[in-house]
Amino acid sequence: NQNHGTIYGAEWVQNTILGDLNRDGLINILDIVELVNIVAFNQEYDDLGDINSDGILNILDIIALVNIVIGN
């Protein structure tokens, strides 16, 4: 089961992976596509896409995510 997390009070806190934008437990090309869409179409900020932790989603995060996926 890929659904892991912890309940604090009445709130479910999902265990997430930086870069896993579609929240499927994997970091792959689908996450890159999602991040490109967020950046290209100025969609809502998602902290899982802020790979360099600068508070902005941009091409630098896309490059960093590509490097994660290809293993560099």
Side-chain angles (χ1 to χ4, degrees), residues 17 25 40 43-44 46 48 61 69:
I17 303 168
Q43 296 178 358
E44 184 176 341
D46 186 333
L48 292 180
D61 298 299
V69 170

Side-chain angles (χ1 to χ4, degrees), residues 1-61:
N1 187 349
Q2 293 286 331
N3 297 322
H4 303 284
T6 307
I7 296 176
Y8 292 103
E11 183 177 334
W12 179 262
V13 178
Q14 185 73 29
N15 292 332
T16 55
I17 303 168
L18 185 64
D20 184 17
L21 285 133
N22 64 358
R23 292 163 174 81
D24 65 354
L26 305 170
I27 300 176
N28 56 30
I29 187 65
L30 298 176
D31 300 300
I32 295 170
V33 171
E34 182 69 25
L35 184 55
V36 167
N37 285 331
I38 291 170
V39 171
F41 299 108
N42 201 26
Q43 296 178 358
E44 184 176 341
Y45 177 84
D46 186 333
D47 59 344
L48 292 180
D50 191 9
I51 308 301
N52 62 1
S53 300
D54 65 356
I56 302 167
L57 298 180
N58 57 28
I59 189 66
L60 298 177
D61 298 299

